[in-house]
Amino acid sequence: MALTTSPASRNFNGARAIPQYQRTWNNLRKSFSWAWLDIVCQYRRSKIGPLWETINVLVMLTGLAVVSSAIFNSSLRDVIGYVAIGIIVWSAIGALITEGSMAFVRNTGFVTGSTLGIDLYIGRSVFKVLITFAHHLLIYVLGVVVGLIPLGFTSLLALPGIVLLFTNGFWVITTLGLICARFRDVDPIIRNLLQLAFFVTPVFWNYRTIASNRQFLVDYNLLFYFIEIIRSPLLGEIPPASHYLAVLGVTIVGYLIAWLTYRRMRAQLAFFV
Amino acid sequence: MTHVRLNQVNVRIPIYDSQGLRLLRLPFFKESRVGTNTVSRSGGVIIMHALKDISLDLAEGDRVCLIGHNGAGKTTLLRVVAGIYPPASGTVSVQGEIFALLGTSIALNSDATGYENIQLMANLYDWPKEDYAATVQDIEEFTELGEYLSLPTRIYSSGMQARLSFALATAQAPDILLIDEGIGAGDAHFQEKAQARVQNFVSRARIMLLASHSDALCRAMCTKALVLSKGEGVFFGDIEEGFKVYAALQ
């Protein structure tokens, strides 16, 4: 169990002689229980805890569905399922990005004071978003019960979509966490862009209604594919393979970026926070 | 064999602060009694030379206290040993499992109760499941927090936090224990208990590094001292000698 170090290189994951996949699995399990405790505490301080966020989402989607149906001249009944799922998935995307920028800054005490690996803070952030997202799915269930959202076997196809979305959460949080810890100007910029992205991404407006000369807004918008691989199966359509390919491409490139960022910045993290 | 070896370790801490640092007049660092006096500027970043050519060789059973002025590099040294700070040059070789308790509280979630924090700690640090009940009982006895363990740790006084933190840090007897200031917050009775616990802990041939300004605590827990001044090691050896050297520095 030797842990000999040369300058600026060190095994930061603790020195255990167990296989990597097992360590990864253990760390996922550990960070899940940490996130779970965070959510439990959230419930404790207010009566309905994270469900407040679900209520926020519900209010937001109702309002936007009304606006959307008025602008695009369709009935509320037609758009509400589309808008609802769009907003629910968007809230997870937004939360992953904003959580990401705070992942290490918020854990300063642990980063500078403990030997815990940073994968635990990353996992903690991803799983917190996942558990909150699971709360929002109550809205989906409600939509199905009242008959606004269809339910069929195709709906099951949303599961791989959700897994893919949160798989991307890990690289997003690693990359943004490190960059935002070092460069504090990045966080406000990202929040700004996120706001813009919400309007240019077909979250609450239907991508089929876009003018042909603005089609690029949909085609080159990678966030759109992340929404569609969850939304279209839930609305009874099988997403085209190209959507999955786009998402897989982003996943691979994303992990590559995260790996490069990690290699470059991990050792200095304690100096940043 | 558990060991901690530092060879010619230098640590340079960059201070990223885009505003204001331009106005700092670096020569004035030499005049301050605290901190390091070697501060340089590189681009827009101020770099503190926090540790200079530190070499140290610790073997099983060594209990070392780090003494020195505020900012002399005590915590930085602990962070280097823990692998939190990378050395700018030199090598750090550590054999054995490290537990670091830097800062006053290691409560993982201050809204969670003492018991929940113990549980999470057990989970994060892979405490053996079969001994868990016994460990919790041990922590209950050591901390004497009683019903407070069922309350959120955010309401604990600093002394109570110190009790819980120290109990958690020593619950599993890591090979190498790194402790910073914080536990000084405990009352006299606690200090006695902590001392007994450390004695027991070190009798199992382990290494402890303690950074503290409390002479009593250092004497109670350690046998050796490393005296740091402005980032340099000025003495390493017997604790009483160390205090003399430190007194001469003032």
Side-chain angles (χ1 to χ4, degrees):
Chain A
M1 211 172 63
L3 198 147
T4 310
T5 54
S6 52
S9 80
R10 177 148 189 165
N11 180 357
F12 280 98
N13 292 321
R16 285 289 165 79
I18 56 171
Q20 182 60 46
Y21 71 88
Q22 203 177 331
R23 185 154 66 207
T24 307
W25 174 251
N26 278 343
N27 284 342
L28 286 176
R29 191 181 47 74
K30 289 175 186 179
S31 41
F32 185 83
S33 52
W34 200 350
W36 189 262
L37 183 61
D38 288 333
I39 300 282
V40 166
C41 290
Q42 239 175 308
Y43 264 106
R44 220 172 268 160
R45 302 286 318 254
S46 78
K47 289 223 157 40
I48 57 171
L51 281 176
W52 277 117
E53 271 178 60
T54 304
I55 291 174
N56 288 350
V57 169
L58 189 60
V59 170
M60 177 93 160
L61 74 88
T62 314
L64 285 171
V66 171
V67 172
S68 182
S69 66
I71 297 175
F72 300 105
N73 215 0
S74 47
S75 80
L76 186 59
R77 215 191 140 76
D78 289 340
V79 298
I80 194 147
Y82 179 90
V83 175
I85 299 166
I87 304 265
I88 292 171
V89 177
W90 182 265
S91 70
I93 293 175
L96 285 172
I97 292 173
T98 46
E99 273 284 321
S101 56
M102 295 304 293
F104 304 129
V105 178
R106 197 187 290 133
N107 287 305
T108 304
F110 304 117
V111 172
T112 59
S114 78
T115 50
L116 292 174
I118 66 165
D119 29 6
L120 291 177
Y121 320 124
I122 298 166
R124 180 190 188 188
S125 300
V126 174
F127 287 126
K128 254 166 88 173
V129 178
L130 178 64
I131 297 169
T132 312
F133 174 75
H135 282 82
H136 298 345
L137 289 181
L138 277 179
I139 299 174
Y140 166 74
V141 174
L142 187 73
V144 170
V145 169
V146 300
L148 287 170
I149 300 172
L151 184 66
F153 283 111
T154 325
S155 309
L156 284 175
L157 260 183
L159 286 175
I162 293 171
V163 171
L164 276 169
L165 172 63
F166 283 92
T167 305
N168 277 271
F170 289 92
W171 76 255
V172 169
I173 290 183
T174 311
T175 312
L176 290 183
L178 287 165
I179 293 177
C180 293
R182 169 66 185 83
F183 304 101
R184 297 299 166 93
D185 301 310
V186 178
D187 177 49
I189 295 172
I190 286 174
R191 280 168 202 273
N192 244 314
L193 291 178
L194 197 60
Q195 187 85 21
L196 178 66
F198 175 69
F199 292 109
V200 299
T201 307
V203 179
F204 65 96
W205 49 272
N206 196 315
Y207 64 93
R208 292 186 180 93
T209 60
I210 194 161
S212 56
N213 63 344
R214 295 283 186 278
Q215 182 65 31
F216 68 91
L217 277 179
V218 175
D219 291 344
Y220 295 106
N221 188 337
L222 295 169
L223 292 174
F224 166 70
Y225 299 107
F226 279 93
I227 296 176
E228 276 313 293
I229 57 167
I230 299 175
R231 178 162 58 188
S232 30
L234 289 181
L235 294 175
E237 286 170 46
I238 297 173
S242 61
H243 288 189
Y244 285 104
L245 283 177
V247 168
L248 281 174
V250 171
T251 311
I252 292 166
V253 173
Y255 272 94
L256 197 67
I257 294 172
W259 178 72
L260 290 172
T261 319
Y262 181 94
R263 253 191 20 167
R264 198 175 161 78
M265 301 177 89
R266 166 62 184 101
Q268 269 76 40
L269 179 62
F271 296 141
F272 302 155
V273 293
Chain B
M1 290 286 277
T2 309
H3 74 238
V4 172
R5 275 182 211 132
L6 306 188
N7 185 23
Q8 297 287 311
V9 166
N10 284 277
V11 174
R12 294 191 175 83
I13 302 179
I15 299 166
Y16 303 100
D17 195 335
S18 55
Q19 307 295 320
L21 291 186
R22 251 161 301 169
L23 300 174
L24 286 182
R25 286 164 301 168
L26 300 184
F28 286 80
F29 278 89
K30 292 230 190 316
E31 289 168 21
S32 59
R33 260 174 54 129
V34 296
T36 175
N37 54 17
T38 324
V39 177
S40 59
R41 206 188 286 270
S42 158
V45 182
I46 296 280
I47 294 169
M48 317 232 323
H49 198 164
L51 286 181
K52 296 169 202 162
D53 294 326
I54 300 279
S55 294
L56 189 65
D57 195 340
L58 303 181
E60 292 184 354
D62 276 342
R63 290 178 286 157
V64 181
C65 59
L66 307 177
I67 43 189
H69 290 300
N70 296 122
K74 303 185 291 292
T75 305
T76 305
L77 183 61
L78 294 181
R79 288 195 176 132
V80 170
V81 173
I84 295 167
Y85 282 167
S89 66
T91 56
V92 179
S93 159
V94 173
Q95 177 120 13
E97 198 132 6
I98 299 179
F99 188 92
L101 171 54
L102 312 178
T104 36
S105 172
I106 43 170
L108 295 151
N109 183 328
S110 59
D111 282 331
T113 67
Y115 283 119
E116 283 167 335
N117 272 296
I118 297 171
Q119 171 111 55
L120 185 58
M121 194 79 180
N123 200 340
L124 294 187
Y125 286 94
D126 299 305
W127 293 2
K129 287 204 172 49
E130 54 279 13
D131 307 335
Y132 182 67
T135 310
V136 172
Q137 204 185 345
D138 172 54
I139 293 173
E140 284 169 345
E141 280 164 16
F142 177 75
T143 59
E144 299 174 331
L145 285 172
E147 286 289 289
Y148 279 98
L149 284 174
S150 304
L151 292 177
T153 55
R154 99 187 103 81
I155 65 134
Y156 290 14
S157 72
S158 51
M160 289 161 78
Q161 283 192 13
R163 282 167 179 254
L164 181 59
S165 296
F166 191 76
L168 288 172
T170 48
Q172 286 304 309
D175 301 324
I176 300 161
L177 180 61
L178 311 175
I179 311 179
D180 192 12
E181 313 279 10
I183 59 161
D187 53 29
H189 171 63
F190 166 70
Q191 306 260 351
E192 258 171 53
K193 289 190 87 170
Q195 188 186 336
R197 200 168 163 100
V198 163
Q199 233 110 48
N200 173 349
F201 166 81
V202 178
S203 67
R204 280 173 275 175
R206 290 180 168 116
I207 297 175
M208 185 180 78
L209 276 163
L210 163 74
S212 172
H213 288 289
S214 156
D215 295 8
L217 194 68
C218 288
R219 286 201 171 90
M221 291 197 183
C222 303
T223 52
K224 292 182 179 174
L226 172 63
V227 183
L228 291 167
S229 172
K230 303 226 167 203
E232 286 171 84
V234 290
F235 173 84
F236 176 62
D238 176 69
I239 185 165
E240 293 306 326
E241 292 287 312
F243 276 115
K244 279 181 204 151
V245 173
Y246 180 54
L249 279 180
Q250 318 247 359

